[in-house]
Amino acid sequence: MKTIFITFLGIVLCLFFAGCSQKGDPNIAQHPASNSASAKAATPIEPATAASVSGTVHFSGAVPKITKIDMSMDPGCRGENQSESYVVNDGKLANVVVYVKEGLKAPYVRLSFAQPLTIDQKGCKYIPHVAAVMVGDTVRFTNSDPATHNIHPSPTNNPKWNESQMPTSPVITKTFANPEMMMPIQCNQHPWMRMYLSILPNPFFAVTDTNGNFEITGLPPGDYTLAAVHEKMGEQTLQIHVGAKESKTGVAFSFAAQ
């Protein structure tokens, strides 16, 4: 009888564990990557109809005074530094994020692979001063200075973090899962160090160059709300229409001195 009972118990245990293995790990089942019902399928852009939008962001009025930054508190901060809140060249405004705010009919994936964005700390300032990525893109933080820095984003829609980076330290790699505009990133070691990173829900964005120019490519034809955002002067929007394969040029935003 004892042998029969042990055999029966072994069969019951085998059936129990087999049933558990069929259910699988509940954590894996809930993960979006393995649950197709909860994952949103992104629509590929049709290259044959993709359009582009380009233009310029203008600035009118007196340009706020550019102030020099005293970096003598840290001998590792070399070179000259100055405020970058208003970078104006011949009436054209740099460091403006221009993006498609409304009008997309579906989530889209890029036409081509996006290289990781690198944000360097050099001369005790962030380079670039303003940048933008798509949700999930890789962002690399590097330190080219002989000084220790501290990378401290202040997100409103993403997890907070705060990491130090010594000279010659390895690259710090991050991704951001949620959209937000003009997220400030500062250095606690050097309070003047600040840049702005925007995380966009779609791949249709650009940051104006030193001549205030921008270009957004790979855009499906349609009607859109285009937005331009500056760190100090806020947001402006305008309506555009792009046809299939159209290269729309001359789109203009204009910010005025406050």
Side-chain angles (χ1 to χ4, degrees), residues 41-173:
T43 301
I45 300 166
E46 176 53 57
T49 61
S52 65
V53 177
S54 62
T56 306
V57 177
H58 301 267
F59 182 90
S60 60
V63 180
K65 183 180 179 181
I66 298 176
T67 57
K68 291 187 177 182
I69 297 171
D70 181 7
M71 302 189 299
S72 60
M73 61 175 284
D74 189 336
C77 294
R78 301 171 179 173
E80 295 184 353
N81 202 346
Q82 61 187 23
S83 63
E84 297 178 276
S85 295
Y86 295 90
V87 178
V88 181
N89 180 19
D90 193 25
K92 312 300 190 303
L93 185 62
N95 294 329
V96 178
V97 179
V98 181
Y99 73 105
V100 173
K101 184 175 184 178
E102 296 175 351
L104 293 169
K105 301 298 188 293
Y108 285 92
V109 293
R110 289 185 176 93
L111 281 175
S112 59
F113 175 76
Q115 294 293 334
L117 168 68
T118 296
I119 299 174
D120 193 18
Q121 296 154 105
K122 186 175 183 180
C124 284
K125 66 178 180 179
Y126 287 109
I127 302 174
H129 177 66
V130 173
V133 294
M134 189 176 171
V135 166
D137 282 353
T138 299
V139 182
R140 303 169 70 254
F141 293 89
T142 57
N143 183 5
S144 296
D145 281 333
T148 297
H149 290 300
N150 174 261
I151 306 164
H152 186 189
S154 297
T156 58
N157 203 28
N158 284 281
K160 298 179 186 287
W161 55 275
N162 187 347
E163 293 187 25
S164 292
Q165 192 173 38
M166 298 179 64
T168 69
S169 290
V171 173
I172 295 175
T173 302

Side-chain angles (χ1 to χ4, degrees), residues 14-25:
C14 287
L15 290 173
F16 173 78
F17 286 113
C20 289
S21 65
Q22 289 176 357
K23 291 180 180 178
D25 187 339

